[in-house]
Amino acid sequence: MAKIVRRKGKFIVDYYEHGLRKRPQFNDRKSAELFFSGIVSSGAVNTPLLVTGLKQSISEYFTNISASKSKRVQELEKYYFQRLYTFLCKQKITNVHEVESLHIDRFVAELKKDLSSSTVNRMFNTYRNFFRMCKRWKFTMVVATEGMK
């Protein structure tokens, strides 16, 4: 899966093309995103069909999934996603396909500092469902919470 990462002040588009790993570097994010959109549209790499921002993905989840739940659960999920969104923004993650299991591990560790384990488990199950839905909607190719408990 192709992704944009930031290392040592450079933006790197990390992807595989015909079995070979390629990692061109760019000085600014805009150039990297332009290159990234070019390889996505060319179909040369295994990438998500829809490059979607975190806010848009969360909004889609609320519209399609949370709307059928009770008002209390909707408010809880709103709080859950505010925490996740804030954390991921601090990590400079803007698109849902950029989220990796390492980010989720760090986020869960942060949650465990001030919440009970049962609350963290409840939140995690919501996040797991969110990432599964993102994969179903073709926002990402990999479920960031896959294999985690």
Side-chain angles (χ1 to χ4, degrees):
M1 182 175 125
K3 62 183 175 182
I4 299 173
V5 293
R6 185 173 185 187
R7 291 208 176 93
K8 298 182 181 178
K10 300 275 185 183
F11 292 92
I12 302 168
V13 179
D14 191 358
Y15 69 101
Y16 286 87
E17 184 176 31
H18 306 294
L20 298 173
R21 187 175 189 184
K22 299 194 176 185
R23 300 188 311 177
Q25 296 183 10
F26 300 90
N27 291 326
D28 58 24
R29 185 167 194 87
K30 191 167 190 102
S31 300
E33 287 176 348
L34 185 63
F35 180 83
F36 181 82
S37 65
I39 61 171
V40 169
S41 64
S42 72
V45 295
N46 186 15
T47 57
L49 298 178
L50 303 168
V51 178
T52 310
L54 281 172
K55 255 188 184 172
Q56 184 181 354
S57 301
I58 292 170
S59 175
E60 190 77 21
Y61 183 82
F62 279 130
T63 303
N64 294 313
I65 306 301
S66 294
S68 63
K69 298 179 181 178
S70 71
K71 293 289 183 194
R72 181 178 173 274
V73 172
Q74 288 178 17
E75 290 300 316
L76 281 173
E77 287 188 352
K78 185 176 181 180
Y79 166 73
Y80 296 167
F81 283 106
Q82 284 174 343
R83 295 226 25 194
L84 178 66
Y85 182 76
T86 303
F87 176 82
L88 293 175
C89 284
K90 288 179 187 174
Q91 302 292 315
K92 300 199 184 322
I93 295 174
T94 57
N95 294 317
V96 71
H97 70 270
E98 296 172 343
V99 181
E100 297 176 356
S101 57
L102 175 66
H103 300 117
I104 301 300
D105 282 336
R106 289 179 183 162
F107 178 62
V108 168
E110 184 178 295
L111 289 175
K112 286 181 179 179
K113 291 178 184 175
D114 61 340
L115 298 172
S116 71
S117 59
S118 62
T119 303
V120 172
N121 287 339
R122 192 175 319 114
M123 292 172 83
F124 181 76
N125 287 331
T126 301
Y127 301 138
R128 183 186 348 231
N129 189 43
F130 167 71
F131 285 110
R132 285 180 182 161
M133 294 308 296
C134 285
K135 183 175 180 181
R136 181 182 296 172
W137 294 328
K138 306 287 187 212
F139 295 162
T140 185
M141 297 298 283
V142 178
V143 177
T145 55
E146 193 70 41
M148 298 174 65
K149 293 183 181 181

